[in-house]
Amino acid sequence: MAFSSPDAGAASSRGAALFVAAAFAALAAVPLVAGNYGVDLVGKIMIYAIFALSLELLVGTTGLVCFGQAAFFGIGAYGAVLLSPASEPAGLAWLLPACMAAAAAYAGLVGALSLRTRGVYFIMVTLAFAQMAYYVVHDTPLGGGTDGIYLMLKPALGSLLDLDRPLVLYGFTWACLLGSFGFLALLLRSRFGRALAGIKANEQRMRAAGFSTYPYKLAAFVVSGALAGLAGFLFAVKDGYVNPELLSWHLSGAVLVMIILGGLGHLRGALIGAFAFVLLQEFYKSEAVFGSFAKHWHLGLGLTIILCVALLPRGLVGVPQRLRERLVGRPGGRRSTAGEAAR
């Protein structure tokens, strides 16, 4: 029988904190060592990481498998374009909150109706709402149809923060990712976050304890939608272009794969999953490595994800723990642990 040390949990928490601090420090240093392509790629990954964090709040924390997250992402992106004036750069101080509020409002509507269902019905309702938003921008002049819309002038905050400059945009994206991660970390440690964890573990028991679970789940939906809207806003500003594919179910599936690949139930898992997914995608798309097979990159990516899920059921975030378990599982390790317990 294996016994865990009382300090194992504290050591694991310290290790996670050190990993997150090192990761953000490394991201901050990327512009110093990478070229334009590297800065653009890492900037895109950080946007997807914010997007993955938004879904992690629903799936990994609350246990709500939403298959319409791309709708909130796309609303934030389209809001950045549609609300921007054509003659001058929009004010960042009002445009960003407006895009997040629009995404949060639609998330509130979706959550208010879909949370009355359960299981596969909940998944299908969220998908249906996402498809409704998709067809609004795809089939009406509002979203420019299949051609999409260009963002002619990127927003700015006076002369201090001009997002038309790549390094300024990178720094702003980094700050948004750090703020999103810190906000969710504090949220999950609060009474609200513990209530969401209880709902995921046993919603009926939470109701018996006197908690009205519906408002908690709806609030989680709204917060998740706002963060997805933030990611969509940054994506639109980075590319200067939006199209209906930003609201498609393919993107909802991709971000769900990100958090599963990284490891459900961990905020850092969303970061790891976003980086792993995009880097694997770029790797299999490389014609320098795979030649003509690069056009079938979906096959290689899919097989890799299947192997990761089969071999790492806890996701990439669980790799260090898996290695520790293998070390402790050795005969010498078991004898030492049992001896400590006996003493």
Side-chain angles (χ1 to χ4, degrees), residues 40 44 150-151 154 169 234-242:
D40 183 76
K44 181 177 75 171
Y150 285 93
L151 178 63
K154 297 185 178 182
L169 177 59
L234 293 171
F235 193 89
V237 172
K238 184 187 79 68
D239 283 2
Y241 171 75
V242 294

Side-chain angles (χ1 to χ4, degrees), residues 110-118 121-122 125 214 217-218:
V110 174
L113 298 176
S114 62
L115 288 173
R116 302 183 184 279
T117 62
R118 294 176 179 273
Y121 301 103
F122 172 80
V125 170
Y214 180 83
K217 293 190 293 184
L218 182 58

Side-chain angles (χ1 to χ4, degrees), residues 1-330:
M1 181 177 181
F3 296 88
S4 60
S5 168
D7 296 330
S12 178
S13 298
R14 287 194 298 268
L18 288 174
F19 170 81
V20 171
F24 276 101
L27 290 175
V30 164
L32 302 177
V33 297
N36 293 334
Y37 173 77
V39 170
D40 183 76
L41 177 62
V42 177
K44 181 177 75 171
I45 296 175
M46 288 195 296
I47 294 172
Y48 280 132
I50 298 174
F51 190 24
L53 284 171
S54 72
L55 186 59
E56 170 63 27
L57 177 63
L58 290 181
V59 181
T61 301
T62 318
L64 300 172
V65 183
C66 175
F67 207 66
Q69 198 73 2
F72 316 136
F73 181 86
I75 288 173
Y78 269 87
V81 178
L82 294 176
L83 297 178
S84 295
S87 58
E88 60 182 3
L92 182 64
W94 67 264
L95 182 61
L96 177 56
C99 294
M100 293 179 66
Y106 192 67
L109 174 63
V110 174
L113 298 176
S114 62
L115 288 173
R116 302 183 184 279
T117 62
R118 294 176 179 273
V120 67
Y121 301 103
F122 172 80
I123 297 174
M124 296 307 297
V125 170
T126 58
L127 174 60
F129 273 104
Q131 289 300 102
M132 287 171 55
Y134 170 83
Y135 284 114
V136 166
V137 298
H138 185 275
D139 295 342
T140 67
L142 176 65
T146 57
D147 294 334
I149 315 175
Y150 285 93
L151 178 63
M152 306 308 297
L153 297 171
K154 297 185 178 182
L157 187 62
S159 59
L160 300 176
L161 197 63
D162 184 4
L163 298 186
D164 196 29
R165 300 165 58 187
L167 291 181
V168 174
L169 177 59
Y170 182 92
F172 184 71
T173 303
W174 180 88
C176 288
L177 176 59
L178 178 62
S180 300
F181 189 94
F183 169 73
L184 289 178
L186 292 175
L187 186 71
L188 298 186
R189 290 176 178 270
S190 67
R191 181 177 182 271
F192 177 77
R194 291 192 292 271
L196 294 182
I199 291 171
K200 178 185 178 182
N202 194 322
E203 185 174 356
Q204 290 183 349
R205 184 174 296 177
M206 291 293 292
R207 289 176 178 173
F211 282 87
S212 179
T213 59
Y214 180 83
Y216 282 94
K217 293 190 293 184
L218 182 58
F221 233 100
V222 172
V223 173
S224 175
L227 290 177
L230 168 62
F233 170 87
L234 293 171
F235 193 89
V237 172
K238 184 187 79 68
D239 283 2
Y241 171 75
V242 294
N243 61 47
E245 292 305 310
L246 297 180
L247 293 89
S248 69
W249 65 270
H250 303 86
L251 187 57
S252 294
V255 72
L256 186 59
V257 169
M258 289 179 196
I259 61 175
I260 293 174
L261 183 62
L264 290 174
H266 304 275
L267 293 180
R268 65 187 186 279
L271 302 182
I272 296 172
F275 274 81
F277 183 86
V278 177
L279 292 178
L280 282 172
Q281 194 177 56
E282 292 295 320
F283 174 70
Y284 284 112
K285 282 182 175 181
S286 174
E287 294 185 359
V289 178
F290 294 99
S292 60
F293 185 75
K295 62 183 179 181
H296 304 296
W297 62 271
H298 291 91
L299 177 60
L301 179 63
L303 290 174
T304 304
I305 291 173
I306 291 173
L307 287 175
C308 288
V309 172
L311 300 176
L312 301 171
R314 299 172 185 169
L316 295 174
V317 75
V319 171
Q321 183 178 355
R322 190 178 181 89
L323 293 176
R324 286 196 299 268
E325 289 175 354
R326 287 184 174 274
L327 293 175
V328 173
R330 293 176 179 176

